[in-house]
Structures are given as structure tokens and as C-alpha cells.
Amino acid sequence: LYSRQLYVMGHTAQRSLAASAVLLIGLSGLGAEIGKNVALAGVRSLDVIDETPATLADLSTNWLLREEDVSARRAAAAVPRLSALNPHVRVGEVTRFMSADELKQYTVVVVVDQPLREMLRIAELARLAGCRLVCARSIGVFGCIYCDHGDAFPVMDVDGEPPREALLEYVSSCVEGEATTIQEQPHGLETGDVVRFEEVTGMPGLCASGVTFEVTVTGRHGLKLGDTRALGEYAGGGRLVQVKQPAKLRFLPLGEALSAQPLPLHEIVGVPA
């Protein structure tokens, strides 16, 4: 179960998904795709809100709806088909919008193709409830997405790239020790990155378990490490490996973010505010 996701994301991320409760507001064509992907991802529960009566026009964009669903609530028609996608996910319909206290049961609130005023109202409630928020719109060939994960969202890997590695040419032993990589392999690091060393001959202290260095970049091949006098004398070989560091990201509330954006999408394409 979820073998491909486990290969890509790992067990920790999948366990986090399995513990998540999602509220999806809006089952337009975009909402239907989001609902499908959330259900297949393996969250704990998925609740949907959309009391809009289905129309014939919806059938051209929303794969969850059928001709017999016309005039029925979008959410009521979609829930059985979303449930069939993954028997391990509880899918339900919510027929009224919730207060901030009631939203606390959800990990993430996803708002799809709603008027701006409604998005701002829900965004404020989600902030009060401590929920993550994702707002998305699709308008013809245009689209936009906004995420608000709070003031201190923990991230274990800020870029998702494999850790940088490079073979060493030399490591100095002095108060301001420096490491130099071979010319064929620029280190690709930035000041403030953290590295560890492996298989360096003559400097056992440099490669000791748990020993890492916050580096200062001096060039494409050069890094300052700090005091390396007690770590031995470089005799050859070895490589440096980047150690990814967790970080906390701050997201702006939707209203604050819109005030800093000179041309919001609803002004460009005329979406009702």
C-alpha cells in the first residue's frame, strides 16, 4: 500500500499523511482533481463542502459528476465516488460551514475556486484554528495558489535536493582552517550550510562521528571551517558531504499577502471579489 509514495517521500511523511484530516471547500473541476489526489495520497479523513447544484456545464470539467447528478449538491454526488478511490480514507460531506473551534479538528483546509471575500473569511478562521490553509483558483488558462502554514512551519529539507558532495583537494590545519575541493567538483554550497567529512587520511578528528562544520564560502572550491588545529594533518583523499538542516518557515496571512501584491489575479482576469 502506497509503495510508490513511500519510495519518494519516506515513511515519516507517509505517517504524517495518514494522521491528517483535510477539509476541501469547493468541488469545481479543480476541486475534483484535488479531492482525488488527497484521497489517493492516504490521509486519515477527507470532508468536502459544496452545496452548489451541479449543472450540465460542470460535466465538462468535473469527472466526479454524472448527468443524473444535475441539480444535486456537488458534494453529495461526489462523496461516494471519492470514497471508492481509497477504502482506507474516510470521506464525508459537511453541509454547513464551521466555526474556528470546529475547524480545529482539521490539519489542512483547502479552499477552491471561491470568491475572494470568502477566501479571506476562511483564511482568518483557519489562522484562529491553527489549520494549514491552501487556496487555489483555476480560470481558463490562468491559475493561482496560496499557502499559509503559519508563523513557524517546520521543514526538514528546505530544497528537496540530494545533499551536495565533493572530493577534497586539501584541508588546512590552522585557526582558520579551510577545505578545498578538486577543480572538477565545485562544492555548490552557500555560507551557513553544514558539512561533514568522510575518509580523509591524516585527519581522524575531522571525520569523527557527529562532527560537523558550518561553512563560510570563499569561492567555488573553497570553504572556511573554523579552527582545525586539533583534527590532524591532511595527507590525502576524502570528501565533504552536506548535512541538511531543519528550518522553520513563516507564512503571511492571506490578507497581508494580498496587500503586498500589486496585481492580484482577480483584478487581472476579472474574477468576482
Side-chain angles (χ1 to χ4, degrees):
L1 188 63
Y2 309 127
S3 58
R4 286 180 291 180
Q5 290 177 198
L6 287 170
Y7 179 80
V8 174
M9 300 187 303
H11 288 270
T12 300
Q14 187 62 47
R15 282 194 294 269
S16 180
L17 271 175
S20 298
V22 178
L23 176 63
L24 173 60
I25 302 172
L27 279 169
S28 60
L30 175 60
E33 287 298 314
I34 292 173
K36 175 198 71 175
N37 292 335
V38 170
L40 292 175
V43 297
R44 173 167 55 86
S45 65
L46 169 63
D47 286 337
V48 296
I49 298 178
D50 195 334
E51 297 188 357
T52 307
T55 66
L56 285 172
D58 288 330
L59 305 185
S60 65
T61 59
N62 191 326
W63 67 273
L64 289 171
L65 301 177
R66 307 288 186 269
E67 190 170 347
E68 60 268 22
D69 299 323
V70 171
S71 298
R73 295 191 312 276
R74 283 176 177 174
V79 163
R81 294 173 186 126
L82 286 172
S83 297
L85 294 174
N86 191 340
H88 302 284
V89 176
R90 183 194 65 74
V91 181
E93 180 190 8
V94 177
T95 56
R96 63 179 181 83
F97 194 73
M98 301 178 175
S99 66
D101 284 340
E102 291 173 309
L103 283 180
K104 290 179 180 178
Q105 65 184 293
Y106 296 104
T107 314
V108 182
V109 176
V110 184
V111 185
V112 183
D113 287 333
Q114 299 298 304
L116 180 59
R117 284 190 299 269
E118 184 68 1
M119 286 197 295
L120 288 167
R121 186 179 74 86
I122 297 170
E124 184 176 349
L125 291 173
R127 268 270 170 170
L128 291 173
C131 301
R132 316 302 188 203
L133 174 73
V134 178
C135 296
R137 275 180 168 178
S138 176
I139 312 102
V141 297
F142 296 95
C144 63
I145 186 169
Y146 182 77
C147 298
D148 178 7
H149 298 330
D151 292 325
F153 182 65
V155 177
M156 301 308 296
D157 185 345
V158 296
D159 60 12
E161 297 294 328
R164 300 276 187 174
E165 296 189 19
L167 296 177
L168 295 172
E169 182 175 275
Y170 183 71
V171 180
S172 63
S173 180
C174 59
V175 175
E176 290 291 335
E178 293 193 28
T180 305
T181 63
I182 62 174
Q183 290 301 304
E184 295 81 5
Q185 293 186 11
H187 52 68
L189 299 170
E190 298 178 0
T191 295
D193 284 342
V194 176
V195 301
R196 59 183 172 84
F197 292 87
E198 298 177 348
E199 301 174 3
V200 180
T201 304
M203 302 186 78
L206 190 71
C207 305
S209 177
V211 174
T212 59
F213 300 86
E214 183 175 322
V215 301
T216 299
V217 173
T218 60
R220 295 180 70 234
H221 301 276
L223 299 166
K224 284 187 177 180
L225 307 176
D227 193 346
T228 57
R229 289 174 296 176
L231 303 178
E233 293 290 337
Y234 183 77
R239 65 176 177 271
L240 63 82
V241 180
Q242 182 185 15
V243 180
K244 292 293 189 78
Q245 299 296 300
K248 288 189 177 181
L249 305 182
R250 179 180 180 269
F251 290 78
L252 294 176
L254 178 59
E256 187 178 335
L258 283 175
S259 68
Q261 169 58 263
L263 290 174
L265 185 62
H266 72 274
E267 293 182 4
I268 298 172
V269 299
V271 177

